[in-house]
Amino acid sequence: MAKKKRSRSESSSGTPAAVLTPRDKKTINTLITLADEIVEAADKKKDPHLDIPARTLTNVKYNNTARIIEMGKGTNRRQLFNLTQAKAYMQTLLVAEGTKRLLDQGKTTSIRGLYYLLKHTIEGTKEETFDDQADCDPIIEDLEVTLTTLREELHVYASNRGAMVGPLTLTDSGDEIDCSRMGSGGYSIPSIVEADVIQFGSHRAEFILHVEKDTVWRRFNEDKFWRKHNCILIHGGGQPPRGVRRLLSRMHNELTYRGQKLPVFCLLDNDPWGYYIYSVLKQGSINLAYESKRMAIPDARYIGLRSKDFEECKLTPSVQIRLNEQDIKRAKQIAGYPWFAKKKEWQREIKQMLDNGFKLEVESLISKDISYVTETYVPERLKAQDWLGD
Amino acid sequence: MPSTKTRPASRRRRDSSADSDASTDSAEDKAGEDAASANGAAEEHDDSAPSNGKPAGPKRRTTAHEMATRQRDISVSEFFAKNRHLLGFDNPRKALLTTIKEAVDNSLDACEEAGILPEIWVRIEPTADNRFRAAVQDNGPGIVKKQIPLIFGKLLYGSKFHRLRMSRGQQGIGISAAGMYGVLTTGQPIKIVSRISKGKPAHYYEIKIDTKINQPEILNGRGEGVDIPPGAKGQAEFDRHGIVWVEADHGTRVTIELEAIYKRGRGSVDEYLEQTAIANPHVTIHYTDPEGNESTYARSAEELPVEPKEIKPHPYGIELGNLITMLSDTKESTVTAFLTQGFSRVSHTVARKVCEGAKVSPRARPATIGRQEADSLFKAIQETKILPPATDCLSPIGEPLLLKGLYHVVPAEFYTAATRPPAVYRGNPFQIEVALAYGGAATTQKVPLELLTELLRESDARTLRQFLINTFAGLGSEAADAILKEADQGTRSSPKGLKPKEIQKLHEAMRSTSLESSQTMNVLRYANRVPLQFQPGACAITQTIMGTNWRSYGLTQSRGSLPSGPITVLVHMASVWVPFTSESKEAVAAYPEIEKEIRLALQTVGRKLGMYLNRRLKVRQEGDRRNIFLRYLREVATAVSTINQSDRDKLYEQLLLVAKRKTAQADVKLDKHGKPIEAPEEDLGEHVIIVDPTQMADALRGGSPPQETMDAVLTDARRTLVKSKETLREITERRQLADEQTASAKHSRGTSDLKNRNKN
């Protein structure tokens, strides 16, 4: 992916002294504070450390009123002079340094770009600063939570994933885009969809339909489901990336139909991973709990596939996929999450899947008819208001 | 045909029952049967002829009478001349080694018995293609004139067979067999020079062994030998006979010319002498190899080993046949006297108990004891409680000298040794000693280029891989492969066809390849201070090492094989009678008592090695920790200074200080209350030498030839001699303690036994 140039820094591209937005200045200040603390510690002959908010299930709590996952106060201390943490500490500072350089130059890069920017051989050794990108990605997240900034504020973005079509116009980096004229591929959703990049224009949509993956999304697009039902059709390529989640959240909150927020419906596989995608869309992820406020859609609804669908839709047994041990473990784990624990409908749903002993993919509906899902399944469920919500 | 077969058979049965009506003993019965069958065969021939006119079956080729004319005595010498492989003369290369070995062993025995610090001159010179003149001279007491021909010219003649005393030679075969081999292959007689004291003439003999009668045949001086006067005149005469006599007041020189092949490496004369020097630090050996290179293994100990005592056999070790022979040979007049005089540890009370148990009168004359009574005597002996044999007859090398010897010859970084208390197998006292050296440069890393070139030229290995494995002790196939890969050589290329450049590359590869993990343990086996160089697989020592779990001491070892690592283990068995598996004395037989003692000794040194390796690992980890911090500090300092434009170098220096303080802190262990405790160094105990490996490596890296460097390193005062001296009293106390514990823990397994000892 080519480097994207942010519109506001066009004037100064290539030179270190870029025009800084107030937000950039704030981010730079937090980075400098971080560095100053280290100098201070070293001055006092103390070992420097970073307190990184823990991104674990134990350090998130479910806010019952806001109905989102919030990050707790638990932190993990990362020390330079600790054998197991020394390298991670060094890496964290490298990432901080890299983002500082990006900010100074007014440029953005992908997380993979940042990985290459920072990857080099440590002086006097054969050791690499980062062995692969998987080493680098969690460190970026660590820095985000430590500085309570967002990835995009650090001028880092993830690769595009997810696509969207629908009766909606928007402006992306100054370009007008009509989402009803996107052909078969749809509008590719960028990773940074903040208001300074994307501004919404007009729309005629009555709801948003989020489907799990590209293949199902194509079926809906080809059948022009969105035109027939006046909806925005979007997918996240499995577990939706932040861009998709943020865009969903923004559309849900900023666009209205008859004075109401645009409702969001999710069509996902009937398996633990499908449930978890819904959970992430609805109340935020454990990993990015600190961004739940900006991303979660507590009102999102789950229309399918449901554990009851095998019988209700009279599917053939050949479309069943047996639950493996991992599935069962994950399902039980999900049922135990505080945000599912008290919801009887969800408990029943998960229990039924476990009782069935098999999972179902959305594509299994094709065994009835190619367009069964677009012409029968979803319209009927919408009409009957047959979904799982709160 | 069946009729003729059954008839003599039935008669035979009748005959035999008639012959041995009184006896029901199975052995006699068998003997009778054998005799009868011989009769039967003869009779069969006699009566088959008249009963049927035509000859039935194949024609008889010979008759018993005819056969009898060909049946005669076989002389020992004839037997061994034909079966020379039994004595270690299977191939020309081994023949040379065996010859030198037998001569050196005899010399050392003689010197020690006479109380002389041994000095040995070994000289091998080529005389023709595949012919060498091997000569060994000692500074021993010399041999009286009339004994010389018998000692060197008669098999099974010697002083050592009939007594139970710890000595190198046992059977009285070795040196005469070597002489016989020489005569057989070159026709040259064995030449002996011996002088008894200063100023006296030296006796000079040229001897051939008459294999038919096993008697020496003296060739010079009309069968009387020649006396050579001392001084210049004598020297001239020696020169005339082609003998290089080193002028000495007393001593013996043996010269044997034989067909042989000289090759270095494993199983060579060089290896034998080196290993002998290890186990005999009181010996000086001067060695001139076939190329004229002279080397000397100087003694590192100025004291002779304690003189081993001769003992009488222990009753438990005797066999029934032996007992019967002894009974008929004894001069004692009563059985009690026979028992108390003929055996060790038999008091009058014990002898009476034995007699009671056997229901034999204690006053009976030994000569009148019949087979039956002997049998019951034998059984009674086994059932009577008799003290184990006195073990002070053994003369172990001892831990300090073992360490000295190993340290002198094997370069390593860690040495330890252990001597077990004496034990008994089949009534024979024996004692196991183990020394261990760990680390240091591998043999491949100290070979100079010239020597390697020579070795390659001499080698008859078909592939380079084979060459490496065969030539260098302790080099496994994995290590050989690693070296060859480094040298860009195929494993199957021939060692002969290498160009100088390729040899140089191989040499570099050998020096640079780290073999720490791919080396296998080098095992040095000794019996009564004599190195055992062949048949490692058949030897109880190797088998026990393989059967010991070395993994718990920090080494890697696959099941049922030797552990790997840069490690040398020396195992010495001292005994009045070492149970060899064959006459060529190459492997120790596996008696359970011997294996147990070896195992316990190995575990003792193994535990110390484990402690050392553990400690080394800890030091290394501490170093690693500091390194890790230091490695990242610069990165961190650079990152921070980029972010806030602080002074990078200043920050780095400050962080460095913190790092030093932090790691120092981390090294201190804290007790329950968070207070630092003095971590007690695990005590490695006595008999341990630790050499600082870095200094050794530094010295090795220098450009000078490795052998010299090694010597320099060794003679340098850089060694840390931890503890290797202890008073005699301490030794005895420790042994007693060990003895008690071994007794108390007899039923528990070896390891727990050791643990108990450890606690104390």
Side-chain angles (χ1 to χ4, degrees):
Chain A
M1 219 187 130
K3 274 187 185 176
K4 227 182 226 180
K5 222 178 284 164
R6 297 284 290 271
S7 51
R8 63 176 177 283
S9 60
E10 258 172 339
S11 54
S12 57
S13 67
T15 61
V19 180
L20 301 175
T21 64
R23 208 168 69 162
D24 286 344
K25 279 179 188 155
K26 194 181 139 238
T27 314
I28 288 174
N29 280 336
T30 57
L31 281 168
I32 290 175
T33 315
L34 179 88
D36 286 347
E37 275 167 14
I38 294 164
V39 175
E40 213 173 297
D43 248 349
K44 289 179 188 159
K45 310 251 180 312
K46 281 185 178 161
D47 55 325
H49 61 83
L50 294 168
D51 286 327
I52 299 165
R55 287 171 289 124
T56 56
L57 181 59
T58 46
N59 193 39
V60 294
K61 61 174 195 289
Y62 181 60
N63 185 327
N64 266 317
T65 40
R67 294 183 299 157
I68 57 168
I69 297 173
E70 285 177 344
M71 188 158 259
K73 290 199 170 62
T75 56
N76 290 330
R77 179 157 290 195
R78 181 169 294 170
Q79 288 168 298
L80 173 56
F81 296 112
N82 177 316
L83 263 197
T84 49
Q85 298 169 359
K87 186 163 191 183
Y89 185 92
M90 180 267 297
Q91 289 171 332
T92 317
L93 279 163
L94 281 182
V95 170
E97 182 216 337
T99 54
K100 171 77 175 4
R101 262 153 58 189
L102 287 174
L103 283 159
D104 283 345
Q105 296 179 20
K107 294 190 177 175
T108 65
T109 182
S110 66
I111 49 176
R112 188 155 188 82
L114 186 68
Y115 158 65
Y116 277 115
L117 184 70
L118 303 175
K119 184 177 164 69
H120 60 260
T121 310
I122 298 169
E123 197 185 314
T125 67
K126 284 176 183 167
E127 194 179 344
E128 289 289 306
T129 49
F130 295 96
D131 287 328
D132 54 34
Q133 201 189 333
D135 262 7
C136 184
D137 292 355
I139 300 282
I140 297 173
E141 283 173 10
D142 285 343
L143 191 68
E144 288 176 65
V145 290
T146 310
L147 301 177
T148 55
T149 56
L150 295 170
R151 184 177 293 183
E152 43 272 32
E153 289 172 340
L154 295 169
H155 287 205
V156 180
Y157 56 85
S159 58
N160 277 13
R161 206 164 70 199
M164 175 173 86
V165 283
L168 166 77
T169 58
L170 52 81
T171 316
D172 180 350
S173 310
D175 295 337
E176 286 259 348
I177 286 161
D178 183 350
C179 292
S180 61
R181 301 162 67 88
M182 298 307 299
S184 60
Y187 167 64
S188 168
I189 301 162
S191 122
I192 298 172
V193 294
E194 292 309 311
D196 53 355
V197 181
I198 289 177
Q199 299 89 34
F200 297 123
S202 61
H203 81 95
R204 285 177 290 106
E206 293 169 23
F207 64 95
I208 303 168
L209 180 66
H210 177 88
V211 299
E212 183 167 338
K213 51 207 153 179
D214 177 53
T215 47
V216 181
W217 183 87
R218 274 165 192 260
R219 174 85 266 116
F220 278 91
N221 192 19
E222 201 175 293
D223 293 346
K224 293 290 173 255
F225 176 89
W226 54 272
R227 197 163 281 167
K228 210 180 289 173
H229 295 273
N230 260 341
C231 73
I232 293 168
L233 183 65
I234 188 167
H235 82 87
Q239 184 63 256
R242 302 165 183 225
V244 172
R245 286 172 57 197
R246 176 71 182 134
L247 188 68
L248 272 173
S249 158
R250 276 191 67 198
M251 291 194 296
H252 170 71
N253 289 315
E254 293 172 28
L255 308 180
T256 53
Y257 173 66
R258 293 189 186 150
Q260 298 281 314
K261 289 178 178 178
L262 272 189
V264 175
F265 296 100
C266 304
L267 181 65
L268 308 162
D269 288 347
N270 178 239
D271 63 18
W273 319 103
Y275 293 157
Y276 190 63
I277 290 173
Y278 171 69
S279 160
V280 167
L281 286 173
K282 188 172 156 68
Q283 49 255 324
S285 72
I286 297 168
N287 223 8
L288 298 179
Y290 63 100
E291 291 197 31
S292 294
K293 227 182 284 172
R294 298 167 57 247
M295 293 193 178
I297 309 159
D299 288 327
R301 289 150 181 174
Y302 183 87
I303 54 172
L305 263 48
R306 303 277 299 275
S307 304
K308 62 180 184 178
D309 286 345
F310 178 73
E311 280 168 21
E312 236 168 62
C313 304
K314 300 188 180 68
L315 297 173
T316 61
S318 45
V319 302
Q320 297 172 356
I321 303 173
R322 277 178 60 84
L323 288 175
N324 59 31
E325 256 174 60
Q326 215 189 345
D327 292 331
I328 294 167
K329 213 174 122 195
R330 186 84 181 103
K332 285 177 180 163
Q333 209 176 357
I334 289 170
Y337 284 160
W339 46 96
F340 281 131
K342 284 175 190 148
K343 286 167 193 161
K344 280 178 193 155
E345 280 185 339
W346 270 103
Q347 292 298 326
R348 220 179 294 136
E349 172 73 21
I350 295 170
K351 188 176 178 296
Q352 195 179 349
M353 180 185 69
L354 288 171
D355 289 347
N356 286 347
F358 58 80
K359 50 190 180 183
L360 291 171
E361 287 190 298
V362 178
E363 286 94 326
S364 66
L365 296 174
I366 290 174
S367 66
K368 301 277 293 180
D369 181 84
I370 288 183
S371 292
Y372 178 80
V373 66
T374 57
E375 285 165 11
T376 319
Y377 186 85
V378 175
E380 277 181 6
R381 294 290 157 98
L382 286 173
K383 203 171 165 197
Q385 303 203 341
D386 183 8
W387 57 65
L388 285 174
D390 261 329
Chain B
M1 211 45 210
S3 65
T4 53
K5 249 196 173 169
T6 47
R7 258 176 55 207
S10 63
R11 183 190 295 177
R12 180 162 67 227
R13 216 170 290 133
R14 250 185 292 132
D15 285 350
S16 67
S17 63
D19 283 347
S20 56
D21 48 353
S23 167
T24 48
D25 183 76
S26 63
E28 250 169 67
D29 204 28
K30 195 172 177 290
E33 210 164 340
D34 285 347
S37 71
N39 286 343
E43 279 164 51
E44 188 182 4
H45 177 71
D46 287 345
D47 52 26
S48 67
S51 62
N52 32 350
K54 296 181 265 181
K59 194 175 170 250
R60 294 296 291 266
R61 291 186 184 125
T62 180
T63 65
H65 292 292
E66 255 181 88
M67 282 165 81
T69 59
R70 289 198 295 270
Q71 288 158 351
R72 60 187 171 97
D73 264 343
I74 302 162
S75 131
V76 219
S77 13
E78 276 182 312
F79 173 76
F80 281 119
K82 274 198 170 174
N83 292 299
R84 57 194 190 202
H85 58 273
L86 292 179
L87 302 176
F89 293 93
D90 1 359
N91 60 55
R93 183 176 184 223
K94 211 165 151 192
L96 183 64
L97 170 68
T98 310
T99 304
I100 297 288
K101 183 173 165 164
E102 294 295 346
V104 170
D105 288 353
N106 282 350
S107 291
L108 292 178
D109 272 345
C111 291
E112 280 167 23
E113 204 171 335
I116 300 166
L117 268 178
E119 187 162 2
I120 310 277
W121 291 266
V122 177
R123 185 186 182 92
I124 304 172
E125 34 184 358
T127 54
D129 261 2
N130 290 344
R131 263 199 196 191
F132 292 89
R133 188 181 296 133
V136 173
Q137 183 178 341
D138 60 48
N139 62 343
I143 306 167
V144 293
K145 190 170 173 179
K146 79 171 195 337
Q147 288 295 339
I148 295 176
L150 291 170
I151 288 173
F152 294 97
K154 187 172 163 64
L155 288 187
L156 293 176
Y157 186 92
S159 55
K160 301 166 193 167
F161 185 77
H162 292 283
R163 62 181 189 187
L164 279 175
R165 181 181 190 269
M166 182 184 154
S167 62
R168 293 178 177 79
Q170 284 181 346
Q171 295 131 324
I173 296 181
I175 190 65
S176 10
M180 191 171 78
Y181 176 82
V183 175
L184 225 67
T185 52
T186 65
Q188 293 290 321
I190 171 170
K191 296 173 180 173
I192 299 111
V193 178
S194 188
R195 175 176 289 160
I196 301 179
S197 60
K198 193 175 176 177
K200 289 261 175 77
H203 311 300
Y204 173 59
Y205 276 101
E206 289 181 8
I207 298 170
K208 257 185 185 172
I209 186 167
D210 187 339
T211 47
K212 284 213 181 78
I213 52 170
N214 186 23
Q215 285 295 336
E217 191 185 327
I218 301 155
L219 301 177
N220 62 343
R222 294 197 199 89
E224 292 294 326
V226 180
D227 279 355
I228 296 178
K233 203 176 151 203
Q235 273 302 348
E237 202 156 334
F238 283 129
D239 291 345
R240 207 159 48 79
H241 293 293
I243 291 169
V244 192
W245 171 259
V246 181
E247 191 54 40
D249 293 347
H250 48 82
T252 307
R253 186 178 187 94
V254 186
T255 311
I256 296 172
E257 192 165 336
L258 71 162
E259 194 180 291
I261 288 173
Y262 174 77
K263 219 181 290 163
R264 277 178 258 251
R266 226 178 256 189
S268 66
V269 174
D270 305 53
E271 187 194 57
Y272 163 75
L273 293 176
E274 183 179 299
Q275 292 191 7
T276 303
I278 295 176
N280 300 276
H282 61 288
V283 177
T284 295
I285 302 173
H286 307 277
Y287 172 47
T288 311
D289 73 10
E291 276 131 39
N293 304 320
E294 288 181 30
S295 47
T296 298
Y297 296 96
R299 67 172 61 92
S300 55
E302 292 296 333
E303 278 162 41
L304 272 172
V306 183
E307 192 185 358
K309 284 184 208 147
E310 187 172 342
I311 59 158
K312 289 178 251 177
H314 190 270
Y316 283 169
I318 204 86
E319 269 151 18
L320 179 58
N322 276 349
L323 184 68
I324 295 171
T325 328
M326 287 174 78
L327 276 167
S328 63
D329 288 354
T330 183
K331 292 186 191 98
E332 303 295 331
S333 54
T334 64
V335 174
T336 348
F338 162 72
L339 287 173
T340 49
Q341 298 304 310
F343 295 96
S344 66
R345 298 296 197 190
V346 180
S347 63
H348 268 282
T349 340
V350 172
R352 249 201 318 277
K353 262 191 208 162
V354 171
C355 290
E356 267 168 45
K359 300 210 169 65
V360 170
S361 159
R363 323 205 104 258
R365 282 176 57 81
T368 61
I369 298 287
R371 233 198 47 74
Q372 292 258 327
E373 285 163 308
D375 195 21
S376 40
L377 259 184
F378 178 72
K379 278 184 190 139
I381 286 173
Q382 307 303 320
E383 279 155 20
T384 312
K385 200 173 177 220
I386 305 170
L387 279 174
T391 47
D392 54 358
C393 54
L394 297 171
S395 167
I397 303 171
E399 284 126 342
L401 284 186
L402 269 175
L403 279 177
K404 233 179 199 173
L406 200 60
Y407 181 49
H408 220 67
V409 183
V410 179
E413 54 187 82
F414 174 80
Y415 302 82
T416 182
T419 299
R420 290 285 306 159
V424 176
Y425 82 92
R426 256 191 48 199
N428 293 317
F430 73 97
Q431 195 164 8
I432 296 294
E433 297 180 278
V434 169
L436 177 150
Y438 179 89
T443 44
T444 49
Q445 283 167 315
K446 29 172 215 182
V447 175
L449 182 60
E450 306 81 62
L451 182 60
L452 177 69
T453 317
E454 222 164 279
L455 286 169
L456 280 165
R457 207 186 55 226
E458 283 168 8
S459 171
D460 60 357
R462 247 178 297 154
T463 65
L464 261 183
R465 186 164 178 261
Q466 210 180 1
F467 162 77
L468 288 173
I469 296 170
N470 289 347
T471 312
F472 301 101
L475 189 81
S477 53
E478 266 176 60
D481 287 343
I483 290 174
L484 290 176
K485 201 179 163 201
E486 182 78 21
D488 283 333
Q489 285 288 345
T491 50
R492 324 210 95 253
S493 49
S494 160
K496 287 247 163 64
L498 287 189
K499 294 185 191 98
K501 245 190 185 165
E502 289 175 308
I503 295 178
Q504 191 160 4
K505 200 162 181 196
L506 180 68
H507 183 242
E508 270 163 31
M510 279 166 61
R511 292 197 74 174
S512 61
T513 311
S514 162
L515 303 172
E516 189 141 323
S517 56
S518 45
Q519 264 178 301
T520 50
M521 179 190 270
N522 184 21
V523 179
L524 306 177
R525 298 173 290 133
Y526 292 90
N528 286 351
R529 297 167 185 255
V530 178
L532 309 177
Q533 291 167 279
F534 297 97
Q535 296 196 18
C539 186
I541 293 172
T542 323
Q543 286 162 2
T544 313
I545 292 176
M546 286 176 174
T548 305
N549 180 9
W550 292 90
R551 280 177 293 257
S552 45
Y553 307 128
L555 297 177
T556 49
Q557 176 189 27
S558 25
R559 190 168 285 278
S561 62
L562 290 172
S564 43
I567 180 168
T568 301
V569 163
L570 179 159
V571 180
H572 176 223
M573 173 173 177
S575 178
V576 295
W577 188 261
V578 179
F580 288 114
T581 55
S582 76
E583 291 78 0
S584 55
K585 304 202 279 189
E586 288 168 346
V588 176
Y591 281 94
E593 296 91 344
I594 297 175
E595 288 184 316
K596 183 192 161 198
E597 283 299 315
I598 296 175
R599 192 173 55 245
L600 290 176
L602 288 172
Q603 283 166 343
T604 310
V605 293
R607 222 178 38 241
K608 287 185 181 176
L609 173 68
M611 275 152 73
Y612 168 72
L613 288 180
N614 208 359
R615 189 192 288 178
R616 202 176 71 158
L617 187 71
K618 257 189 218 155
V619 172
R620 194 173 284 174
Q621 276 172 345
E622 277 161 26
D624 280 354
R625 180 164 39 193
R626 211 154 295 170
N627 272 344
I628 284 172
F629 296 153
L630 296 184
R631 202 180 306 162
Y632 299 145
L633 286 187
R634 200 169 289 279
E635 293 289 334
V636 169
T638 312
V640 169
S641 72
T642 313
I643 296 171
N644 66 356
Q645 272 79 46
S646 56
D647 183 350
R648 191 190 97 143
D649 293 334
K650 186 183 157 214
L651 180 64
Y652 177 70
E653 292 302 323
Q654 282 172 337
L655 286 176
L656 211 58
L657 279 176
V658 184
K660 275 180 190 151
R661 199 171 51 84
K662 284 302 276 190
T663 43
Q665 259 175 14
D667 293 347
V668 178
K669 287 191 184 119
L670 301 180
D671 66 7
K672 263 186 275 177
H673 311 291
K675 284 178 192 158
I677 42 168
E678 289 285 319
E681 271 276 86
E682 263 185 297
D683 190 14
L684 282 169
E686 290 145 322
H687 310 306
V688 169
I689 302 177
I690 296 170
V691 179
D692 191 339
T694 52
Q695 287 165 348
M696 185 107 101
D698 286 347
L700 260 183
R701 241 175 264 129
S704 50
Q707 189 49 53
E708 279 172 38
T709 328
M710 290 321 300
D711 290 345
V713 173
L714 288 174
T715 48
D716 213 16
R718 281 168 183 162
R719 332 157 182 179
T720 334
L721 203 64
V722 178
K723 279 176 194 170
S724 82
K725 275 187 187 165
E726 59 177 2
T727 63
L728 199 65
R729 222 184 84 237
E730 276 171 341
I731 298 180
T732 18
E733 275 172 7
R734 208 162 45 81
R735 283 197 189 144
Q736 278 165 358
L737 189 71
D739 268 346
E740 281 162 25
Q741 263 142 19
T742 339
S744 69
K746 224 168 207 168
H747 300 291
S748 61
R749 285 184 48 217
T751 41
S752 56
D753 181 352
L754 275 166
K755 268 177 210 152
N756 288 341
R757 284 187 59 193
N758 220 9
K759 270 178 213 157
N760 290 288

